[in-house]
Amino acid sequence: MILFPALLALATPQSTLSSPTPGLRELAKRRHLTLGTEVPLRNLQNDVDGGRFAATVAANFDMIELENEFKPPAVWKGPRDYDFAAGDFVVGAPGAKGWAQKRKLKVRGHVLIYAKDEGYTLPQWLKGPQGDVPKEQAAAMLHDYIRAVVGRYKGKIAMWDVVNEAIDDRPNNGNPFNLRNTYWFRKLGPEFLVLAFKWAHEADPKAELYYNEYSVENGSEKGRSMLALGKWLKAQGAPITGFGLQYHIDGRTTIAPGDAYYGYVEAIRKLGLAYQITELDVAIPVKPTPPGDAERGLVPSDSADLDRQAEVYASVFRMALASKNCHGVQTWGFTDRYSWIPDFSRGRNGAALLFDKEYRPKPAYAAVEATLRK
Ligand code: XIL
């Protein structure tokens, strides 16, 4: 008899053990809230963890966004040279269904222009001779790329991040809207944003188009630059739907009606723009471990932080549900097993998502579930 529960657990497919019913997907739908998650392409292609990854996506979310595989360096290999393998897998080649449609999931495209020069942002060949071209030619290349990518998946991508992270962290850099000194800014000036939105809209008039940014959420100086940029983009006739607010936050964050977070989304509404929370995760301090350690980024230093984290998650969802101009919430992954936070924080923080490494719902999951039920 004592063995029985253990045997039962062994005999039960792991996906049914780890996917709570009905999951968040149905609850979010009832609240008319689009609920998305970031996914790494290889986890879909390899159907990892005995199907638990895919099953948890399907039970909890109605939208996915690729983590890195739709970024410019992954797609844009040279002038008029594009790699559509990842896009075709997820949303299907023209006329075909992809992984997402087969599961009735919407897709968020991330990202057409990642407005930085370092890291996995700008296709590095643009820094070489092929990118060393006059303004008009650079603009023509950009136009061709946006038309090719957005056009190929026309009608299949619900929303695009058109431009990501174009504003400098350092204040007062002398550029309009404090834009970073990047390839596209140097070639085309702030106009590069207007053109990118116009060309994306031409290629898929129904897709929602976002400007996506981090460290703006409570109306910092960077946040003010972004509002000014949004106002200017609208005045220039750029077809922008709204702002993507990344929301990479931590367990000490407090968000409540009347505060700067609520004030910021209200300021966005006053500009006539929507917003979407695009990359939510709530990092907490974790037990220090070296890179490669099996427990890296997974064990909270103080287990009470899991409850604080749950409250932070709930507070973000409360704000999203309370605001008229919110077009959805998306988390940057869902299981701590595949979160970017441990590497990004050099092992200091982690455990930032709704499910633990074994796909067990954490207190944060329960808090989001309760918030959606209210
Ligand atoms: C991150 C990915 O999660 C990592 O795998 C990669 O090494 C770096 O980029 N803002 C964004 C995302 O818009 O594209 C970033 O994704 C996280 C911050």
Side-chain angles (χ1 to χ4, degrees), residues 307-359:
D307 295 321
R308 284 185 208 111
Q309 176 186 59
E311 174 47 28
V312 178
Y313 265 101
S315 70
V316 173
F317 277 79
R318 281 197 294 269
M319 186 185 83
L321 290 167
S323 40
K324 293 191 188 74
N325 59 331
C326 178
H327 284 200
V329 178
Q330 180 177 261
T331 58
W332 203 242
F334 55 91
T335 162
D336 292 338
R337 184 183 283 240
Y338 301 111
S339 168
W340 78 305
I341 295 291
D343 279 342
F344 179 66
S345 69
R346 296 199 188 87
R348 279 192 287 270
N349 299 324
L353 296 169
L354 298 175
F355 295 85
D356 74 8
K357 178 177 182 285
E358 296 307 329
Y359 295 82

Short mmCIF file of all heavy atoms in Angstrom, two decimals, residues 307-359:
data_model
loop_
_atom_site.label_atom_id
_atom_site.label_comp_id
_atom_site.label_asym_id
_atom_site.label_seq_id
_atom_site.Cartn_x
_atom_site.Cartn_y
_atom_site.Cartn_z
N ASP A 307 6.92 33.87 -1.81
CA ASP A 307 5.62 34.49 -1.52
C ASP A 307 5.62 35.96 -1.92
O ASP A 307 4.63 36.47 -2.43
CB ASP A 307 5.27 34.31 -0.04
CG ASP A 307 5.08 32.84 0.30
OD1 ASP A 307 4.51 32.10 -0.54
OD2 ASP A 307 5.54 32.41 1.37
N ARG A 308 6.74 36.64 -1.68
CA ARG A 308 6.84 38.04 -2.13
C ARG A 308 6.71 38.09 -3.65
O ARG A 308 6.01 38.92 -4.21
CB ARG A 308 8.17 38.65 -1.71
CG ARG A 308 8.21 38.99 -0.26
CD ARG A 308 9.49 39.72 0.16
NE ARG A 308 9.72 39.40 1.55
CZ ARG A 308 10.71 38.65 2.01
NH1 ARG A 308 11.65 38.19 1.18
NH2 ARG A 308 10.81 38.37 3.28
N GLN A 309 7.37 37.18 -4.29
CA GLN A 309 7.32 37.11 -5.76
C GLN A 309 5.89 36.89 -6.24
O GLN A 309 5.44 37.49 -7.22
CB GLN A 309 8.22 35.97 -6.22
CG GLN A 309 8.21 35.71 -7.70
CD GLN A 309 9.00 34.46 -8.03
OE1 GLN A 309 8.70 33.37 -7.54
NE2 GLN A 309 10.04 34.62 -8.83
N ALA A 310 5.17 36.03 -5.54
CA ALA A 310 3.78 35.75 -5.91
C ALA A 310 2.96 37.03 -5.86
O ALA A 310 2.15 37.32 -6.75
CB ALA A 310 3.19 34.70 -4.97
N GLU A 311 3.17 37.82 -4.84
CA GLU A 311 2.42 39.07 -4.69
C GLU A 311 2.80 40.05 -5.82
O GLU A 311 1.94 40.76 -6.35
CB GLU A 311 2.69 39.67 -3.30
CG GLU A 311 2.10 41.04 -3.05
CD GLU A 311 0.63 41.21 -3.46
OE1 GLU A 311 -0.12 40.22 -3.46
OE2 GLU A 311 0.25 42.35 -3.81
N VAL A 312 4.07 40.07 -6.21
CA VAL A 312 4.47 40.96 -7.31
C VAL A 312 3.78 40.53 -8.61
O VAL A 312 3.21 41.36 -9.32
CB VAL A 312 6.01 40.97 -7.49
CG1 VAL A 312 6.41 41.86 -8.67
CG2 VAL A 312 6.70 41.45 -6.22
N TYR A 313 3.79 39.24 -8.88
CA TYR A 313 3.08 38.75 -10.08
C TYR A 313 1.61 39.16 -10.04
O TYR A 313 1.06 39.67 -11.01
CB TYR A 313 3.18 37.22 -10.18
CG TYR A 313 4.32 36.73 -11.07
CD1 TYR A 313 5.50 36.27 -10.51
CD2 TYR A 313 4.19 36.73 -12.46
CE1 TYR A 313 6.54 35.82 -11.32
CE2 TYR A 313 5.22 36.28 -13.27
CZ TYR A 313 6.39 35.82 -12.70
OH TYR A 313 7.41 35.38 -13.50
N ALA A 314 0.97 38.93 -8.90
CA ALA A 314 -0.45 39.26 -8.79
C ALA A 314 -0.66 40.75 -9.04
O ALA A 314 -1.61 41.15 -9.74
CB ALA A 314 -0.98 38.87 -7.41
N SER A 315 0.24 41.57 -8.51
CA SER A 315 0.05 43.03 -8.65
C SER A 315 0.17 43.47 -10.11
O SER A 315 -0.52 44.39 -10.54
CB SER A 315 1.03 43.79 -7.76
OG SER A 315 2.35 43.67 -8.23
N VAL A 316 1.03 42.81 -10.87
CA VAL A 316 1.17 43.14 -12.30
C VAL A 316 -0.12 42.75 -13.04
O VAL A 316 -0.64 43.52 -13.85
CB VAL A 316 2.39 42.43 -12.92
CG1 VAL A 316 2.42 42.63 -14.44
CG2 VAL A 316 3.68 42.93 -12.29
N PHE A 317 -0.63 41.59 -12.74
CA PHE A 317 -1.87 41.16 -13.40
C PHE A 317 -3.06 42.03 -12.99
O PHE A 317 -3.93 42.32 -13.81
CB PHE A 317 -2.16 39.67 -13.14
CG PHE A 317 -1.41 38.76 -14.07
CD1 PHE A 317 -0.07 38.48 -13.88
CD2 PHE A 317 -2.04 38.24 -15.20
CE1 PHE A 317 0.63 37.67 -14.76
CE2 PHE A 317 -1.35 37.42 -16.09
CZ PHE A 317 -0.01 37.14 -15.87
N ARG A 318 -3.08 42.45 -11.73
CA ARG A 318 -4.18 43.34 -11.30
C ARG A 318 -4.14 44.63 -12.12
O ARG A 318 -5.17 45.12 -12.59
CB ARG A 318 -4.05 43.67 -9.80
CG ARG A 318 -4.56 42.56 -8.90
CD ARG A 318 -4.80 43.06 -7.47
NE ARG A 318 -3.56 43.45 -6.79
CZ ARG A 318 -2.81 42.63 -6.04
NH1 ARG A 318 -3.17 41.38 -5.84
NH2 ARG A 318 -1.71 43.08 -5.47
N MET A 319 -2.94 45.18 -12.32
CA MET A 319 -2.82 46.42 -13.09
C MET A 319 -3.26 46.19 -14.54
O MET A 319 -4.01 46.98 -15.11
CB MET A 319 -1.38 46.93 -13.05
CG MET A 319 -1.22 48.29 -13.71
SD MET A 319 0.51 48.82 -13.79
CE MET A 319 1.03 47.93 -15.26
N ALA A 320 -2.80 45.09 -15.12
CA ALA A 320 -3.16 44.80 -16.52
C ALA A 320 -4.67 44.67 -16.66
O ALA A 320 -5.27 45.23 -17.59
CB ALA A 320 -2.46 43.52 -16.98
N LEU A 321 -5.30 43.96 -15.72
CA LEU A 321 -6.75 43.76 -15.81
C LEU A 321 -7.51 45.05 -15.58
O LEU A 321 -8.61 45.24 -16.09
CB LEU A 321 -7.20 42.70 -14.79
CG LEU A 321 -6.77 41.26 -15.10
CD1 LEU A 321 -6.98 40.37 -13.87
CD2 LEU A 321 -7.50 40.70 -16.31
N ALA A 322 -6.89 45.97 -14.83
CA ALA A 322 -7.59 47.22 -14.49
C ALA A 322 -7.46 48.27 -15.59
O ALA A 322 -8.19 49.25 -15.59
CB ALA A 322 -7.04 47.78 -13.18
N SER A 323 -6.49 48.11 -16.51
CA SER A 323 -6.32 49.21 -17.47
C SER A 323 -6.95 48.90 -18.81
O SER A 323 -6.82 47.81 -19.35
CB SER A 323 -4.85 49.63 -17.61
OG SER A 323 -3.99 48.54 -17.61
N LYS A 324 -7.60 49.92 -19.35
CA LYS A 324 -8.36 49.76 -20.60
C LYS A 324 -7.45 49.58 -21.80
O LYS A 324 -7.85 48.99 -22.80
CB LYS A 324 -9.21 51.01 -20.84
CG LYS A 324 -10.33 51.21 -19.84
CD LYS A 324 -11.27 52.32 -20.34
CE LYS A 324 -12.30 52.68 -19.28
NZ LYS A 324 -11.69 53.47 -18.18
N ASN A 325 -6.25 50.12 -21.74
CA ASN A 325 -5.38 50.10 -22.92
C ASN A 325 -4.35 48.97 -22.88
O ASN A 325 -3.37 49.00 -23.62
CB ASN A 325 -4.68 51.45 -23.11
CG ASN A 325 -3.82 51.86 -21.93
OD1 ASN A 325 -4.11 51.47 -20.79
ND2 ASN A 325 -2.77 52.61 -22.18
N CYS A 326 -4.57 47.97 -22.01
CA CYS A 326 -3.62 46.86 -21.95
C CYS A 326 -4.02 45.77 -22.94
O CYS A 326 -5.12 45.23 -22.88
CB CYS A 326 -3.57 46.28 -20.54
SG CYS A 326 -2.46 44.87 -20.43
N HIS A 327 -3.11 45.44 -23.85
CA HIS A 327 -3.41 44.41 -24.86
C HIS A 327 -2.85 43.04 -24.50
O HIS A 327 -2.74 42.19 -25.37
CB HIS A 327 -2.89 44.86 -26.22
CG HIS A 327 -3.74 45.91 -26.87
ND1 HIS A 327 -3.71 46.17 -28.22
CD2 HIS A 327 -4.66 46.75 -26.35
CE1 HIS A 327 -4.58 47.13 -28.49
NE2 HIS A 327 -5.15 47.51 -27.38
N GLY A 328 -2.47 42.84 -23.25
CA GLY A 328 -2.05 41.51 -22.86
C GLY A 328 -0.82 41.49 -21.98
O GLY A 328 -0.14 42.51 -21.79
N VAL A 329 -0.58 40.32 -21.43
CA VAL A 329 0.60 40.09 -20.60
C VAL A 329 1.34 38.90 -21.17
O VAL A 329 0.73 37.88 -21.54
CB VAL A 329 0.21 39.78 -19.12
CG1 VAL A 329 1.45 39.49 -18.29
CG2 VAL A 329 -0.59 40.93 -18.52
N GLN A 330 2.64 39.02 -21.25
CA GLN A 330 3.46 37.89 -21.69
C GLN A 330 4.62 37.73 -20.71
O GLN A 330 5.23 38.71 -20.30
CB GLN A 330 4.01 38.18 -23.08
CG GLN A 330 4.88 37.05 -23.61
CD GLN A 330 5.33 37.33 -25.02
OE1 GLN A 330 4.78 36.84 -25.97
NE2 GLN A 330 6.34 38.16 -25.13
N THR A 331 4.90 36.48 -20.34
CA THR A 331 6.03 36.23 -19.44
C THR A 331 7.23 35.79 -20.26
O THR A 331 7.08 35.22 -21.35
CB THR A 331 5.67 35.15 -18.41
OG1 THR A 331 5.30 33.94 -19.09
CG2 THR A 331 4.53 35.60 -17.51
N TRP A 332 8.44 36.07 -19.73
CA TRP A 332 9.66 35.71 -20.47
C TRP A 332 10.05 34.29 -20.09
O TRP A 332 11.00 34.05 -19.37
CB TRP A 332 10.77 36.74 -20.21
CG TRP A 332 11.79 36.75 -21.31
CD1 TRP A 332 13.13 36.45 -21.20
CD2 TRP A 332 11.59 37.09 -22.70
NE1 TRP A 332 13.74 36.56 -22.43
CE2 TRP A 332 12.83 36.96 -23.36
CE3 TRP A 332 10.47 37.48 -23.44
CZ2 TRP A 332 12.98 37.20 -24.74
CZ3 TRP A 332 10.63 37.72 -24.80
CH2 TRP A 332 11.88 37.58 -25.43
N GLY A 333 9.26 33.36 -20.62
CA GLY A 333 9.41 31.95 -20.25
C GLY A 333 8.41 31.61 -19.16
O GLY A 333 7.68 32.48 -18.67
N PHE A 334 8.35 30.34 -18.79
CA PHE A 334 7.39 29.95 -17.74
C PHE A 334 7.99 28.97 -16.75
O PHE A 334 7.56 28.90 -15.61
CB PHE A 334 6.10 29.39 -18.35
CG PHE A 334 6.33 28.24 -19.31
CD1 PHE A 334 6.33 26.94 -18.85
CD2 PHE A 334 6.58 28.48 -20.66
CE1 PHE A 334 6.56 25.88 -19.72
CE2 PHE A 334 6.81 27.43 -21.53
CZ PHE A 334 6.80 26.13 -21.06
N THR A 335 9.00 28.20 -17.15
CA THR A 335 9.64 27.32 -16.18
C THR A 335 11.06 27.83 -15.88
O THR A 335 11.81 28.17 -16.80
CB THR A 335 9.68 25.86 -16.63
OG1 THR A 335 10.66 25.16 -15.84
CG2 THR A 335 10.06 25.70 -18.10
N ASP A 336 11.40 27.81 -14.58
CA ASP A 336 12.73 28.26 -14.16
C ASP A 336 13.85 27.49 -14.85
O ASP A 336 14.98 27.94 -14.92
CB ASP A 336 12.87 28.12 -12.63
CG ASP A 336 11.97 29.10 -11.89
OD1 ASP A 336 11.58 30.12 -12.48
OD2 ASP A 336 11.65 28.82 -10.71
N ARG A 337 13.52 26.34 -15.37
CA ARG A 337 14.50 25.50 -16.07
C ARG A 337 15.12 26.24 -17.26
O ARG A 337 16.27 26.02 -17.60
CB ARG A 337 13.79 24.23 -16.56
CG ARG A 337 14.67 23.21 -17.21
CD ARG A 337 13.83 22.04 -17.71
NE ARG A 337 13.45 21.15 -16.63
CZ ARG A 337 13.77 19.85 -16.57
NH1 ARG A 337 14.49 19.31 -17.52
NH2 ARG A 337 13.36 19.10 -15.59
N TYR A 338 14.34 27.11 -17.90
CA TYR A 338 14.84 27.78 -19.10
C TYR A 338 14.82 29.31 -19.01
O TYR A 338 14.68 29.99 -20.01
CB TYR A 338 14.02 27.34 -20.33
CG TYR A 338 14.07 25.86 -20.57
CD1 TYR A 338 12.95 25.07 -20.38
CD2 TYR A 338 15.26 25.26 -20.98
CE1 TYR A 338 12.99 23.70 -20.59
CE2 TYR A 338 15.31 23.89 -21.19
CZ TYR A 338 14.18 23.12 -20.99
OH TYR A 338 14.25 21.76 -21.21
N SER A 339 14.97 29.84 -17.82
CA SER A 339 14.95 31.30 -17.68
C SER A 339 16.31 31.91 -18.04
O SER A 339 17.36 31.32 -17.79
CB SER A 339 14.59 31.64 -16.24
OG SER A 339 14.81 33.00 -15.97
N TRP A 340 16.30 33.11 -18.58
CA TRP A 340 17.56 33.80 -18.93
C TRP A 340 18.19 34.48 -17.72
O TRP A 340 19.34 34.89 -17.75
CB TRP A 340 17.30 34.83 -20.03
CG TRP A 340 16.67 36.12 -19.55
CD1 TRP A 340 15.51 36.26 -18.85
CD2 TRP A 340 17.18 37.45 -19.75
NE1 TRP A 340 15.26 37.58 -18.61
CE2 TRP A 340 16.26 38.34 -19.15
CE3 TRP A 340 18.31 37.97 -20.38
CZ2 TRP A 340 16.44 39.72 -19.15
CZ3 TRP A 340 18.49 39.35 -20.39
CH2 TRP A 340 17.56 40.22 -19.77
N ILE A 341 17.42 34.62 -16.61
CA ILE A 341 17.87 35.44 -15.48
C ILE A 341 19.18 34.92 -14.83
O ILE A 341 20.08 35.71 -14.55
CB ILE A 341 16.75 35.58 -14.42
CG1 ILE A 341 15.57 36.38 -15.02
CG2 ILE A 341 17.26 36.24 -13.15
CD1 ILE A 341 15.84 37.85 -15.28
N PRO A 342 19.34 33.62 -14.58
CA PRO A 342 20.58 33.18 -13.93
C PRO A 342 21.84 33.60 -14.70
O PRO A 342 22.79 34.11 -14.10
CB PRO A 342 20.43 31.66 -13.88
CG PRO A 342 18.95 31.45 -13.83
CD PRO A 342 18.37 32.52 -14.71
N ASP A 343 21.84 33.44 -16.00
CA ASP A 343 23.02 33.85 -16.77
C ASP A 343 23.16 35.37 -16.78
O ASP A 343 24.25 35.91 -16.59
CB ASP A 343 22.94 33.34 -18.22
CG ASP A 343 23.37 31.89 -18.30
OD1 ASP A 343 24.04 31.41 -17.34
OD2 ASP A 343 23.04 31.23 -19.30
N PHE A 344 22.04 36.04 -17.00
CA PHE A 344 22.07 37.50 -17.09
C PHE A 344 22.59 38.12 -15.79
O PHE A 344 23.32 39.11 -15.80
CB PHE A 344 20.65 38.00 -17.40
CG PHE A 344 20.52 39.48 -17.50
CD1 PHE A 344 21.16 40.17 -18.51
CD2 PHE A 344 19.75 40.19 -16.58
CE1 PHE A 344 21.04 41.55 -18.61
CE2 PHE A 344 19.62 41.56 -16.67
CZ PHE A 344 20.27 42.25 -17.68
N SER A 345 22.23 37.52 -14.65
CA SER A 345 22.64 38.09 -13.36
C SER A 345 23.92 37.43 -12.83
O SER A 345 24.25 37.58 -11.67
CB SER A 345 21.51 37.94 -12.34
OG SER A 345 21.34 36.57 -12.01
N ARG A 346 24.59 36.67 -13.68
CA ARG A 346 25.81 35.93 -13.32
C ARG A 346 25.59 35.06 -12.07
O ARG A 346 26.40 35.05 -11.14
CB ARG A 346 26.97 36.89 -13.09
CG ARG A 346 27.34 37.63 -14.36
CD ARG A 346 28.74 38.22 -14.29
NE ARG A 346 28.95 39.08 -15.44
CZ ARG A 346 28.61 40.37 -15.48
NH1 ARG A 346 28.09 40.95 -14.42
NH2 ARG A 346 28.81 41.08 -16.57
N GLY A 347 24.45 34.39 -12.07
CA GLY A 347 24.19 33.42 -11.01
C GLY A 347 23.63 34.00 -9.72
O GLY A 347 23.34 33.26 -8.79
N ARG A 348 23.48 35.31 -9.65
CA ARG A 348 23.00 35.90 -8.39
C ARG A 348 21.49 35.75 -8.21
O ARG A 348 21.00 35.52 -7.11
CB ARG A 348 23.36 37.39 -8.34
CG ARG A 348 24.80 37.63 -7.91
CD ARG A 348 25.00 39.09 -7.60
NE ARG A 348 25.02 39.89 -8.81
CZ ARG A 348 26.12 40.17 -9.50
NH1 ARG A 348 27.28 39.72 -9.08
NH2 ARG A 348 26.07 40.90 -10.59
N ASN A 349 20.75 35.92 -9.31
CA ASN A 349 19.28 35.86 -9.22
C ASN A 349 18.74 34.75 -10.10
O ASN A 349 19.43 34.23 -10.97
CB ASN A 349 18.67 37.19 -9.66
CG ASN A 349 19.12 38.34 -8.80
OD1 ASN A 349 19.29 38.17 -7.59
ND2 ASN A 349 19.33 39.49 -9.40
N GLY A 350 17.47 34.42 -9.87
CA GLY A 350 16.84 33.40 -10.70
C GLY A 350 15.45 33.10 -10.20
O GLY A 350 14.78 33.99 -9.65
N ALA A 351 15.03 31.86 -10.40
CA ALA A 351 13.71 31.39 -9.93
C ALA A 351 12.63 32.41 -10.21
O ALA A 351 11.77 32.68 -9.37
CB ALA A 351 13.78 31.05 -8.44
N ALA A 352 12.65 32.99 -11.42
CA ALA A 352 11.87 34.19 -11.70
C ALA A 352 10.50 33.92 -12.31
O ALA A 352 9.73 34.85 -12.54
CB ALA A 352 12.67 35.09 -12.66
N LEU A 353 10.18 32.64 -12.58
CA LEU A 353 8.99 32.35 -13.40
C LEU A 353 7.88 31.64 -12.61
O LEU A 353 8.00 31.43 -11.41
CB LEU A 353 9.42 31.57 -14.65
CG LEU A 353 10.35 32.39 -15.57
CD1 LEU A 353 10.98 31.52 -16.65
CD2 LEU A 353 9.61 33.57 -16.19
N LEU A 354 6.83 31.25 -13.31
CA LEU A 354 5.63 30.72 -12.64
C LEU A 354 5.74 29.26 -12.24
O LEU A 354 5.06 28.81 -11.31
CB LEU A 354 4.40 30.87 -13.56
CG LEU A 354 4.00 32.30 -13.94
CD1 LEU A 354 2.86 32.27 -14.96
CD2 LEU A 354 3.59 33.10 -12.71
N PHE A 355 6.58 28.50 -12.96
CA PHE A 355 6.74 27.07 -12.68
C PHE A 355 8.19 26.79 -12.30
O PHE A 355 9.11 27.42 -12.83
CB PHE A 355 6.40 26.23 -13.93
CG PHE A 355 4.96 26.33 -14.36
CD1 PHE A 355 4.52 27.36 -15.17
CD2 PHE A 355 4.04 25.36 -13.95
CE1 PHE A 355 3.19 27.44 -15.58
CE2 PHE A 355 2.71 25.44 -14.35
CZ PHE A 355 2.28 26.48 -15.17
N ASP A 356 8.40 25.81 -11.44
CA ASP A 356 9.77 25.47 -11.09
C ASP A 356 10.39 24.58 -12.17
O ASP A 356 9.77 24.33 -13.22
CB ASP A 356 9.85 24.85 -9.68
CG ASP A 356 9.32 23.42 -9.62
OD1 ASP A 356 9.02 22.82 -10.68
OD2 ASP A 356 9.21 22.89 -8.49
N LYS A 357 11.59 24.12 -11.90
CA LYS A 357 12.34 23.34 -12.88
C LYS A 357 11.60 22.08 -13.31
O LYS A 357 11.73 21.60 -14.43
CB LYS A 357 13.66 22.97 -12.23
CG LYS A 357 14.59 22.12 -13.04
CD LYS A 357 15.88 21.92 -12.26
CE LYS A 357 16.90 21.12 -13.04
NZ LYS A 357 16.61 19.70 -13.11
N GLU A 358 10.79 21.51 -12.39
CA GLU A 358 10.04 20.28 -12.69
C GLU A 358 8.62 20.58 -13.15
O GLU A 358 7.75 19.71 -13.09
CB GLU A 358 10.02 19.36 -11.46
CG GLU A 358 11.40 18.85 -11.06
CD GLU A 358 12.15 18.17 -12.21
OE1 GLU A 358 11.49 17.59 -13.10
OE2 GLU A 358 13.39 18.27 -12.22
N TYR A 359 8.38 21.81 -13.57
CA TYR A 359 7.07 22.21 -14.09
C TYR A 359 5.98 22.19 -13.02
O TYR A 359 4.80 22.09 -13.33
CB TYR A 359 6.65 21.32 -15.27
CG TYR A 359 7.54 21.46 -16.50
CD1 TYR A 359 8.74 20.77 -16.59
CD2 TYR A 359 7.17 22.29 -17.55
CE1 TYR A 359 9.56 20.89 -17.70
CE2 TYR A 359 7.98 22.42 -18.67
CZ TYR A 359 9.18 21.71 -18.74
OH TYR A 359 9.99 21.84 -19.84
#
